[in-house]
Amino acid sequence: MATSSVSYKQEIVFSAAIRIFHWLRALAILVLVMTGFYIAWPFLVAPESSDVLVQGWIRFAHLIFGFILCAITLARAYLFFFSKSDIERRSFRDVMSLKSWIVQLKSYLWMGKLNKAGVYGPLQFMTYLAVSVMAAVICITGLVLYANVYHQGMGGWLWDISGWITAQMGGLAMVRIWHHYLTWAFVIFVVIHVYMAVWTGIRFKHNSVDSIVSGYDYHPDKH
């Protein structure tokens, strides 16, 4: 009985910097969601208590990881445009191609394979672009809220621009509301993102979770 073996070609798809920033951003989002919800509803300490240490440490963690998310958002934008590897930028070709959209949507319906010019399909690219915009807006609203509490140092430096942004958004209450809405948007995205990352690995046998861990993807070698 003859047996056939399939050899795979190894390809680097995510640099070390992209992988590190990905997991740092995931950690930042996790901590920010947890601490953000607690700041909105501080359930660990009774309302009549004078103990403010718990709230203080929670707020401190929220600030630290908020600044980390701001830094990562800026760094990822820089890497997208100026990284030596253009594997992310190549994905934009598929966004502009109607055929690529059809191919990806059909592949999600178990009709054919997924062929991509870069590391992302068109639907993935637009989703990650939307998430990047969300991250930028949640960072901006977070900095506005920061400047309205801390008036020295960076808070003082941001005061004028934060006042303008607050006015454009209709007041500080609206800034808080949008900050809260975007938090829920991230929660929903993370659930879908994890599911689709696992599903993609099962469906297409490559470009799955292990790629963002090791940096490598594997494709059947046609030669």
Side-chain angles (χ1 to χ4, degrees), residues 161-203:
I161 185 64
S162 69
W164 180 83
I165 294 173
T166 301
Q168 298 304 310
M169 295 186 69
L172 195 59
M174 290 304 300
V175 175
R176 284 197 179 94
I177 288 173
W178 278 107
H179 197 73
H180 188 78
Y181 284 166
L182 289 170
T183 299
W184 276 109
F186 268 108
V187 171
I188 295 170
F189 164 76
V190 168
V191 173
I192 297 174
H193 174 64
V194 172
Y195 171 80
M196 289 302 297
V198 175
W199 182 87
T200 298
I202 297 172
R203 169 70 175 90

Side-chain angles (χ1 to χ4, degrees), residues 24-34 65 69 186-187 190:
L24 276 177
R25 180 163 56 182
L27 175 62
I29 290 172
L30 175 63
V31 174
L32 287 168
V33 168
M34 294 174 62
F65 281 93
L69 182 62
F186 268 108
V187 171
V190 168

Side-chain angles (χ1 to χ4, degrees), residues 92-156:
F92 188 68
R93 301 177 193 170
D94 288 328
V95 176
M96 305 305 293
S97 169
L98 178 60
K99 180 180 178 181
S100 295
W101 280 94
I102 295 173
V103 168
Q104 179 166 41
L105 293 175
K106 286 176 62 178
S107 68
Y108 282 174
L109 296 174
W110 297 82
M111 299 168 60
K113 299 292 184 179
L114 178 61
N115 298 313
K116 300 176 291 186
V119 70
Y120 309 126
L123 185 58
Q124 288 173 297
F125 185 91
M126 294 305 297
T127 301
Y128 294 152
L129 175 61
V131 169
S132 297
V133 173
M134 282 167 40
V137 175
I138 204 169
C139 286
I140 291 171
T141 54
L143 289 172
V144 170
L145 295 173
Y146 172 85
N148 277 271
V149 175
Y150 302 94
H151 305 302
Q152 302 294 324
M154 182 175 288

Side-chain angles (χ1 to χ4, degrees), residues 47-114:
E48 63 275 8
S49 174
S50 60
D51 183 5
V52 296
L53 289 179
V54 174
Q55 178 77 348
W57 282 112
I58 295 294
R59 290 181 69 88
F60 178 72
H62 195 78
L63 291 176
I64 294 299
F65 281 93
F67 283 119
I68 290 174
L69 182 62
C70 291
I72 293 173
T73 301
L74 290 173
R76 284 297 284 119
Y78 176 85
L79 286 176
F80 177 81
F81 290 105
F82 302 109
S83 174
K84 291 182 179 179
S85 172
D86 67 342
I87 195 166
E88 286 190 311
R89 294 190 293 273
R90 288 205 311 265
S91 301
F92 188 68
R93 301 177 193 170
D94 288 328
V95 176
M96 305 305 293
S97 169
L98 178 60
K99 180 180 178 181
S100 295
W101 280 94
I102 295 173
V103 168
Q104 179 166 41
L105 293 175
K106 286 176 62 178
S107 68
Y108 282 174
L109 296 174
W110 297 82
M111 299 168 60
K113 299 292 184 179
L114 178 61

